[in-house]
């Protein structure tokens, strides 16, 4: 039996369900803790670049947020082969400095426009449902809540 964990972004334009990746446990577990702690309730997409990505999450480390995380992209088992950015992937945003991810994240709109992120940002999920809602995201759209669910597969 295997467990998978999902994160459902509750949004006015429609829900988006992401499968969270066990291959990036630091980011996945921190994202889950932040979501369960209510950190993403009411946050908006404050940076949206069509054909590239939509970024959300805390823009600064706030009360209840977990501290800066190690960028797992630097770990041998995540580097290159297992850390691809493409349409529907969510990844950790950082300041450009190593290990500076503070819980903000972005969703990718393409592979061609995001290929350069593979070596500097850790992917931690991909879309399972709500594909049609990804490209509808506009700057200022609000994430009403992020609901975490775990399922057991036989």
């Amino acid at each position: 039996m295997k467990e998978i964990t999902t994160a459902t972004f509750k949004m006015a334009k429609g829900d988006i369900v992401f499968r969270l990746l066990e291959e990036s446990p630091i980011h996945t577990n921190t994202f889950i803790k932040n979501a369960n702690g209510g950190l993403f309730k009411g946050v908006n997409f404050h940076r949206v670049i069509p054909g590239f990505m939509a970024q959300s999450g805390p823009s600064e480390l706030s009360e209840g947020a977990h501290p800066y995380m190690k960028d797992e992209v630097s770990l041998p088992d995540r580097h290159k082969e297992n850390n691809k950015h493409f349409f529907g992937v969510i990844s950790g945003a950082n300041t450009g400095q190593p290990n500076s991810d503070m819980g903000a994240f972005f969703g990718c709109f393409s592979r061609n426009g995001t290929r350069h992120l593979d070596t500097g940002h850790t992917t931690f999920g991909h879309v399972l449902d709500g594909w049609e809602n990804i490209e509808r995201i506009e700057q200022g759209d609000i994430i009403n809540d992020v609901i975490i669910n775990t399922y057991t597969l036989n």
Side-chain angles (χ1 to χ4, degrees):
M1 293 206 285
K2 180 177 179 163
E3 286 189 347
I4 66 164
T5 302
T6 63
T8 302
F9 286 40
K10 305 296 281 180
M11 298 176 57
K13 290 181 178 176
D15 294 351
I16 303 172
V17 180
F18 293 92
R19 178 181 178 182
L20 301 179
L21 302 175
E22 54 275 355
E23 295 88 358
S24 46
I26 297 169
H27 277 71
T28 295
N29 290 329
T30 301
F31 183 85
I32 290 168
K33 287 176 190 171
N34 286 339
N36 286 338
L39 187 66
F40 304 130
K41 283 184 182 181
V43 299
N44 70 357
F45 283 95
H46 56 270
R47 183 175 176 221
V48 176
I49 303 171
F52 180 45
M53 62 85 201
Q55 184 172 337
S56 188
S59 57
E60 59 185 48
L61 200 58
S62 60
E63 187 176 332
H66 292 269
Y68 291 106
M69 313 181 248
K70 179 174 183 60
D71 294 316
E72 291 173 275
V73 68
S74 64
L75 300 176
D77 62 338
R78 289 289 293 157
H79 190 64
K80 294 184 182 170
E81 293 78 22
N82 298 320
N83 196 68
K84 303 287 186 199
H85 291 77
F86 52 87
F87 183 87
V89 162
I90 53 174
S91 185
N94 60 43
T95 67
Q97 298 300 312
N99 306 320
S100 63
D101 186 322
M102 61 182 171
F105 56 88
F106 59 92
C108 298
F109 292 149
S110 75
R111 173 68 179 148
N112 290 336
T114 57
R115 189 174 268 121
H116 67 284
L117 302 173
D118 293 351
T119 59
H121 297 267
T122 301
T123 60
F124 64 92
H126 60 79
V127 173
L128 283 180
D129 192 29
W131 292 92
E132 68 280 8
N133 298 322
I134 294 177
E135 288 184 320
R136 296 174 59 202
I137 296 171
E138 296 176 344
Q139 191 158 324
D141 283 354
I142 294 172
I143 299 171
N144 296 316
D145 202 357
V146 176
I147 308 299
I148 303 296
N149 287 300
T150 301
Y151 302 92
T152 302
L153 304 176
N154 291 327

